[in-house]
Every structure is written in C-alpha cells, then in structure tokens.
Amino acid sequence: MNKSIFSALLIAVGIAVGGLFIYLGIHQMAYHDRAVTVKGLSQRTVQADYVVWPLKFSVSGNDLTALSKQLSEVEQTARQFFINKGFKAEDMSLSNVEIENNWANYYERRPEYNYTISCSLIISTADVERVVSNQGCQAELLAQGVILNSYSWNTNYQYNGLSDLKPEMIEEATKNARAVAQKFADDAQCSLGSIRNASQGQFSVDNDDNQPWIKHVRVVTTVDYYLK
C-alpha cells in the first residue's frame, strides 16, 4: 500500500471518528436539554410543646402606696389560684410593674382615678394541655377579686420539634416530587433520568385558625429531573 492510499485511509478514519464524537456530543446535549421541573409537598399537623401565657391584671386608685399593696395582694391571689390548678410555682414569673397617670393626659372628662398600676403573671410551661384547659378561667378569678386584662391571642404557643421532623419530611417531599416526575415521563413516553438540580423550600409553621396550639408544618421541595 503506497503512502497516498494509507494517508487517505487515515483521513477517512479520522473523519468517521470525529463524526461519531460529534454525533454523540449532540445526542448528549439533546439529552441534557430534556428535563422536567416538579415540586414535592410534605405536611404534618402537630401540637405545640411549649407555651408562654401572660396574664395581665391591674388596679386603679389615687394613692400609689395603697395601690402597690393592693396589686401585690392580687398577684398573690392569682399565683395561688394557678398553683391550685396544677401549675408549678417555678414556671411563673412577674413582669415589670407599669404605672399610668390617668390625669396627665385626658380629654373632656377627667378619669375617676389618678393612677392605674398593672403587671403580668407570666406562665411559661411545657404543660400545653393544662394551659388550653384553663383559658376560660377569668370568671373563676373574678370571683376572687382578680380582673384579668388578657386575651387568648396573647398566648404564645411554640413548637420546638422541627429539627426532628425535617429529615423525614424532606424525604417524603422528595419522593412525592419523583412520583410527579415519573408520571410526567410516562405520559411523555420517555424515561426518567437522574436529578439535575434540587432545592429545598423553607419550612413553615402556621397556627390553626381556631386552635392556636395546633401547628401545621409544611415544606415544598423543587427538583429538576433529566428525561431520556
């Protein structure tokens, strides 16, 4: 075989191999351009595991010394009331005392009393069910001379177990996303490939509208899958 024929064969082989790589490259690019973006949802309903319950009460009059004594008596009555209800003394704390001068700023008619002194007995506890069952205790306290100025929406129900829920919820959301992607691939008559990109959404913890001690935990994952 002379050199010219051998060179021609080398050139032909080179062109064929180059064409094959080009074809494979184009095919691979086309494959990578085919993808589907899906979302997966995971939800849980849980109960709050900690609560901060502020119970505000106040007294009014014209003698600050007498009012201070009266406020202390009201606070002791309220504290003993909740101890009798099963709450622990160490879970109770007292907020700073607030003094309002009613005669300093008023319009038209002067208020009957010059001063109003108020403070809050704050119950911080993991005994959420006991707090829930005593939300309507105002009438009982009123019978003992204690007037509460607190409302149920002031109660701060908390959930601290999110870190324990995260792994299983992320796994579930990812599985749900794959199921959606698989259905899309089946409908498109193609195969589902590997994950191209994935992002985890923020976890949200929302109160139930009617029962704030019930929490709705939610997370959405977004996943891109290759289609082939």
Side-chain angles (χ1 to χ4, degrees):
M1 182 181 296
N2 58 40
K3 291 184 178 180
S4 59
I5 295 176
F6 181 74
S7 299
L9 286 174
L10 285 179
I11 293 172
V13 171
I15 293 174
V17 172
L20 177 62
F21 279 113
I22 292 172
Y23 168 79
L24 292 175
I26 293 173
H27 180 74
Q28 187 71 10
M29 290 175 61
Y31 165 72
H32 279 277
D33 285 340
R34 296 177 62 191
V36 60
T37 300
V38 293
K39 294 182 182 296
L41 170 66
S42 180
Q43 299 182 99
R44 295 286 188 281
T45 297
V46 298
Q47 179 170 303
D49 53 20
Y50 196 79
V51 56
V52 179
W53 188 18
L55 300 151
K56 187 175 182 179
F57 47 87
S58 60
V59 293
S60 297
N62 297 322
D63 187 330
L64 283 175
T65 302
L67 283 177
S68 179
K69 181 180 179 181
Q70 184 182 351
L71 186 70
S72 178
E73 292 172 350
V74 170
E75 180 261 320
Q76 290 299 323
T77 300
R79 188 182 292 269
Q80 188 59 51
F81 172 84
F82 287 105
I83 289 176
N84 294 341
K85 287 287 187 178
F87 290 95
K88 298 177 182 178
E90 57 266 30
D91 291 339
M92 302 180 194
S93 60
L94 202 64
S95 71
N96 293 331
V97 175
E98 299 177 358
I99 302 176
E100 184 178 356
N101 188 337
N102 301 318
W103 290 357
N105 297 291
Y106 67 90
Y107 300 94
E108 298 182 2
R109 184 178 178 181
R110 190 176 75 172
E112 180 179 0
Y113 298 112
N114 189 355
Y115 302 106
T116 297
I117 304 181
S118 60
C119 67
S120 295
L121 180 67
I122 303 172
I123 299 178
S124 304
T125 177
D127 195 350
V128 176
E129 292 184 2
R130 192 177 301 277
V131 171
V132 172
S133 63
N134 283 280
Q135 282 291 312
C137 66
Q138 285 87 342
E140 294 180 66
L141 277 168
L142 183 60
Q144 298 187 34
V146 179
I147 301 175
L148 289 181
N149 300 324
S150 300
Y151 302 93
S152 59
W153 49 261
N154 284 332
T155 309
N156 181 16
Y157 292 98
Q158 304 171 11
Y159 179 67
N160 300 302
L162 186 58
S163 58
D164 295 329
L165 280 182
K166 280 184 175 182
E168 66 180 49
M169 289 187 67
I170 293 172
E171 180 181 359
E172 182 181 60
T174 304
K175 285 182 178 179
N176 291 339
R178 184 172 182 83
V180 174
Q182 185 63 62
K183 180 64 169 62
F184 184 91
D186 293 342
D187 292 343
Q189 297 183 348
C190 58
S191 299
L192 188 65
S194 60
I195 294 176
R196 181 173 70 172
N197 185 43
S199 63
Q200 174 198 315
Q202 292 292 325
F203 276 82
S204 63
V205 182
D206 300 315
N207 292 338
D208 185 272
D209 291 338
N210 300 311
Q211 303 175 96
W213 56 92
I214 300 297
K215 306 289 185 179
H216 301 296
V217 185
R218 185 174 187 271
V219 66
V220 176
T221 59
T222 303
V223 187
D224 294 344
Y225 285 97
Y226 289 115
L227 297 176
K228 54 185 181 179

